[in-house]
Amino acid sequence: MLPTPLKERLSHSIGPVLSTQALGGGCIHHAQRIDTHKGSYFFKWNQQNHLDNFEVEAKGLELLGKTKALQVPEVLAVVDVPPYAGLLMEFIDPGNRNIPFWEALGRGLAALHRHTQPTFGLDHNNYIGALPQSNTRHDRWGNFFIEERLLPQLNMPQARRYVTGELRKRFDRLFDALEGFFPDEPPALLHGDLWGGNLLASIEGLPVLIDPAVYYGHREAELAFMGLFDGHPDAFYSAYQEAYPVSSGWRERLDIYNLYPLLVHVNLFGQGYVASVERILKRF
Ligand code: ADP
């Protein structure tokens, strides 16, 4: 149920709320479709201590949107109504995922990854799922990856509990071995959390990105994470490669990038993901 103070606040922007419909699938917040005389909207909300999540999510969507590389929902308002906070945006009516969807995703993601800045990182920190994500800037990807991605996750409580002893030592050996491991590339604007749940299909059958954890990173990290839990048709990879080819041997490097999302999963969901981390480190 949408709390009354939020309903009243929304009616100032989009007119009286005619009906609401709870949407499943969200991991963290309440998510609702809101219908008014002006149209349909998507609204996610939570207790007010989540205001910062909504503010940086809005910033991330706006940064992605400005590139025009791929569609993102238009952000309409960040709402702060004690004891609640929320994020109001365009509602994406769902469509199908056929070959043109995957080709557009490949081309669009390549175009997004062409957006660059001089350093790896971002001018503000954000979140990966419910966890803080540090975007302190570095000149070299290897340093950024170790210091802003792997180490902060290794220092969080669940990882401290499960990634110990020999496994923790393997991480230190990995850090020493990463010099020269990653191909030199300009920092690329990444969505940062592009699993299947954060990829919608519009009514036109084209991709729409939601829930970003943006930063300028190594684009192989994005491709790696996309393949961690989901398979994508060849049409996606061919379109991406045609638009912005990746360096040879990239498939062999993917596991190393995925240590980051796997550690995030250890910290969010516990021990179940430790075996995958161990497998990667043993093979490397
Ligand atoms: P959370 O941040 O809690 O993980 P999500 O942003 O993933 O929540 O959204 C929850 C649900 O709402 C998902 O099923 C998602 O597909 C859907 N959704 C998210 N954004 C939109 C949107 N702009 N239009 C339509 N549906 C959306």
Side-chain angles (χ1 to χ4, degrees), residues 224-241:
F225 179 55
M226 287 182 76
L228 181 59
F229 303 120
D230 309 286
H232 299 297
D234 288 343
F236 163 70
Y237 290 103
S238 320
Y240 184 95
Q241 287 279 18

Side-chain angles (χ1 to χ4, degrees), residues 13-27:
S13 328
I14 54 177
V17 174
L18 301 178
S19 64
T20 64
Q21 187 194 330
L23 299 170
C27 311

Side-chain angles (χ1 to χ4, degrees), residues 23-29 31 42 44 73 89-92 197-198 200 210-211:
L23 299 170
C27 311
I28 306 167
H29 309 293
F42 176 80
K44 62 205 284 190
M89 62 181 96
E90 175 188 359
F91 187 85
I92 303 299
N198 286 342
L200 305 182
I210 59 168
D211 250 358

Side-chain angles (χ1 to χ4, degrees), residues 29 45-58 77-87 127:
H29 309 293
W45 58 275
N46 212 321
Q47 298 300 310
Q48 202 191 14
N49 60 333
H50 293 265
L51 178 61
D52 187 54
N53 298 61
F54 296 132
E55 281 172 343
V56 295
E57 181 173 343
V78 177
V79 169
D80 179 13
V81 184
Y84 305 107
L87 178 59
Y127 296 87

Side-chain angles (χ1 to χ4, degrees), residues 98-111 113 194-196 199 207 219-247 250-252 254-255 258:
N98 297 321
I99 295 296
F101 171 92
W102 296 107
E103 288 172 345
L105 181 65
R107 276 194 308 274
L109 201 65
H113 290 171
L194 203 44
W195 68 289
L199 180 60
R219 62 198 173 103
E220 289 180 351
E222 185 116 285
L223 297 173
F225 179 55
M226 287 182 76
L228 181 59
F229 303 120
D230 309 286
H232 299 297
D234 288 343
F236 163 70
Y237 290 103
S238 320
Y240 184 95
Q241 287 279 18
E242 196 181 312
Y244 195 3
V246 280
S247 308
W250 66 284
R251 284 189 191 272
E252 282 80 65
L254 300 188
D255 279 349
N258 279 337

Side-chain angles (χ1 to χ4, degrees), residues 77-146:
V78 177
V79 169
D80 179 13
V81 184
Y84 305 107
L87 178 59
L88 179 69
M89 62 181 96
E90 175 188 359
F91 187 85
I92 303 299
D93 275 311
N96 294 321
R97 297 170 189 223
N98 297 321
I99 295 296
F101 171 92
W102 296 107
E103 288 172 345
L105 181 65
R107 276 194 308 274
L109 201 65
L112 180 69
H113 290 171
R114 293 261 186 204
H115 285 263
T116 187
Q117 68 169 26
T119 50
F120 294 96
L122 195 65
D123 61 0
H124 63 275
N125 296 334
N126 46 23
Y127 296 87
I128 179 74
L131 300 177
Q133 175 168 269
S134 163
N135 294 320
T136 300
R137 286 171 278 194
H138 289 256
D139 291 332
R140 297 178 59 88
W141 167 254
N143 295 345
F144 179 86
F145 187 58
I146 294 169

Side-chain angles (χ1 to χ4, degrees), residues 24 36 43 63 81 87-88 92 100 109 111 120 158 166 170 178 202 225 257 266 272:
T36 77
F43 185 59
L63 184 56
V81 184
L87 178 59
L88 179 69
I92 303 299
L109 201 65
F120 294 96
Q158 296 261 62
E166 183 51 31
R170 280 183 195 273
L178 283 182
S202 68
F225 179 55
Y257 297 99
V266 170

